[in-house]
Amino acid sequence: MQPIPQPVRDHAGLILADTLGAILAGHREPELRAMTARHATGGVPLLGAAAAAAPPMAAFLTGLAGTAVELDEGNYPAGGHPAIHAIAPALAEAAARDCGGEALLTACIRGYEAGSRIGQAMRLRPAAHPHGTWGVVGAAAAVASLRGHDAAMTRRVLDLAASLGLATSATASLRGGSVRNVYAGAAAQNGLLAVDLAEAGITGEPGGIPVVFGQVIGEAWDAAAYAAGAGRWFILESFLKRQACCRETQGALEAIEALLAEAPVAPEAIAAIEVETFHSASLLAEQAPATPIAGRFSIPFAVATRILRGDAWIEDFAPEAIADPAIRALAARVVLRHDPALTARQPGERVCRLALRLADGTVRRREVIGTPGDPDRPHPEAALREKFRRCVEPGFGARWDELWAMARHPDRLPRAAALFAAFRP
């Protein structure tokens, strides 16, 4: 395994802190509280909850929490969210063996890279969601790293993990199915179990990664890209979000932010909002989402809730916001169109064009290429620190600042136990 350069470790610390904030925010959701009450019956401490669970269940609950409010990072080349898949099982394993903070950070990086390398080499079937698919291999790689397995044993673990991914649905979230949040948790749990199974002597399909991800879950496999991925630090190509909604909503959100900053607009003065964008973003067209997750995957709702509530944060997709008749009426005036010419500009450019049509006949336009938080437009660290505060302060008060320092530089912690003790409500 190649050594990890210090700039990679430093950026990984930023991603770990960002992900831990998302996990803590997710633990406040009612579904997480219900699942934790039922299944956290003792074992290793859960980060962000006053409970403990057996390591596989701890990995599951942490992965579920980390995606519950749609604030975790993602990666364009990988085509998904590698961090939560690696970090959730790494936390569970680190709690079980009380390793050092440096070992925890290393495991998160190894898991992130292993999952991303598969994601960029495969072509996922259009009906499948990336969560819970190749992330199971990243999860297994993170745990194998903490257990000190050599390259040969790690290969066996990853071959086995390849057969433990999920058959996920890309439309679940669009149609209001919060089962989408379960995908990462299940993959984290199965990745940890893959290491246990391999240590017990159970074997995977030899060379199973290209079979599963090129023929079963995926429909094509680029062996050359997979080989080249071994020398690439995907973690440096991550994107980080500041809004609690799908990444593909955020071009439109940036466009509306810019127009409102130029000149405020009364909601009743808006006749229509027209959005032209690339294919995958154009699918987020539901004007009347039925559940919070459907709202987070709806450009019309995300734009409407931002205009009327002033933000697109966690509470702006809560059930009461989803049911708000004023937001729903405005969302009904937001129309999406797919422009094939914009799709052709991918992956180099992710373009969103927004036209704000006012009742007096005025039309205000804005084009956005990419969004803040993309690799070429990174958020200032101060902005991510503020995001962390918003995630953590409701449960931890003024302690959020201390927690940020620990999460941002975990390799300075002699023992991971300090992290779990500090992050206990």
Side-chain angles (χ1 to χ4, degrees):
M1 297 181 184
Q2 59 179 322
I4 301 174
Q6 186 54 42
V8 174
R9 301 187 72 85
D10 183 68
H11 188 68
L14 194 62
I15 289 178
L16 178 63
D18 187 79
T19 305
L20 296 191
I23 291 168
L24 265 62
H27 268 299
R28 293 196 297 274
E29 294 295 292
E31 298 89 345
L32 261 297
R33 294 199 299 270
M35 287 296 292
T36 299
R38 176 170 294 203
H39 291 286
T41 55
V44 301
L46 291 172
L47 187 138
M57 180 52 63
F60 173 82
L61 292 171
T62 303
L64 173 59
T67 55
V69 292
E70 193 57 28
L71 282 169
D72 58 306
E73 70 81 58
N75 188 287
Y76 293 134
H81 295 219
I84 188 59
H85 291 82
I87 289 171
L91 288 171
E93 184 67 19
R97 59 184 54 249
D98 189 23
C99 63
E102 184 173 1
L104 170 62
L105 185 62
T106 296
C108 293
I109 297 169
R110 299 292 186 205
Y112 191 108
E113 297 302 313
S116 298
R117 187 180 169 196
I118 294 171
Q120 63 90 34
M122 71 177 294
R123 186 167 72 234
L124 195 67
R125 294 186 184 278
H129 192 288
H131 280 29
T133 57
W134 46 261
V136 69
V137 178
V143 175
S145 174
L146 283 169
R147 295 192 188 178
H149 286 314
D150 61 18
M153 180 60 175
T154 298
R155 280 194 297 273
R156 293 198 291 273
V157 165
L158 302 192
D159 277 343
L160 195 156
S163 291
L164 299 181
L166 305 182
T168 59
S169 170
T171 55
S173 53
L174 303 180
R175 300 174 65 189
S178 56
V179 67
R180 196 276 330 202
N181 298 335
V182 177
Y183 299 163
Q189 180 181 47
N190 284 354
L192 195 153
L193 289 173
V195 187
D196 289 343
L197 292 167
E199 290 174 352
I202 294 175
T203 57
E205 179 178 1
I209 287 176
V211 174
V212 171
F213 297 105
Q215 301 176 39
V216 182
I217 297 174
E219 58 185 10
W221 178 259
D222 188 336
Y226 184 68
R232 178 178 179 179
W233 292 109
F234 290 94
I235 202 166
L236 297 179
E237 303 174 66
S238 60
F239 64 73
L240 297 166
K241 299 187 295 183
R242 294 182 64 196
Q243 289 86 20
C245 45
C246 175
R247 187 61 170 186
E248 307 294 40
T249 67
Q250 298 190 27
L253 284 173
E254 186 188 10
I256 203 70
E257 289 277 2
L259 290 174
L260 295 177
E262 289 174 356
V265 176
E268 59 272 18
I270 299 173
I273 299 174
E274 298 170 356
V275 178
E276 292 183 332
T277 189
F278 49 90
H279 178 258
S280 59
S282 73
L283 300 177
L284 278 60
E286 177 58 59
Q287 295 174 313
T291 65
I293 192 168
R296 291 189 169 104
F297 282 78
S298 161
I299 288 177
F301 186 86
V303 168
T305 199
R306 162 59 189 90
I307 292 171
L308 287 167
R309 294 173 63 99
D311 208 347
W313 189 244
I314 298 167
E315 58 269 21
D316 301 305
F317 298 92
E320 56 269 24
I322 294 293
D324 187 322
I327 299 176
R328 296 180 78 83
L330 182 54
R333 302 200 293 275
V334 182
V335 178
L336 263 66
R337 297 190 185 94
H338 169 223
D339 185 341
L342 299 184
T343 300
R345 290 167 65 174
Q346 289 185 281
E349 292 182 329
R350 305 171 74 82
V351 183
C352 177
R353 294 177 180 146
L354 186 143
L356 180 61
R357 296 188 178 275
L358 304 182
D360 65 4
T362 303
V363 180
R364 298 170 59 193
R365 302 180 187 275
R366 178 64 59 137
E367 179 177 288
V368 169
I369 300 177
T371 52
D374 282 356
D376 60 344
R377 299 176 61 192
H379 291 303
E381 185 163 329
L384 294 173
R385 188 171 177 272
E386 172 61 13
K387 173 188 172 183
F388 184 88
R389 181 195 67 76
R390 296 183 76 185
C391 286
V392 176
E393 193 174 47
F396 292 80
R399 288 180 52 214
W400 74 267
D401 194 33
E402 168 197 350
L403 300 185
W404 168 265
M406 295 179 74
R408 175 68 182 85
H409 300 286
D411 44 354
R412 297 176 184 175
L413 300 175
R415 311 306 306 167
L419 195 69
F420 290 93
F423 275 77
R424 188 174 181 83

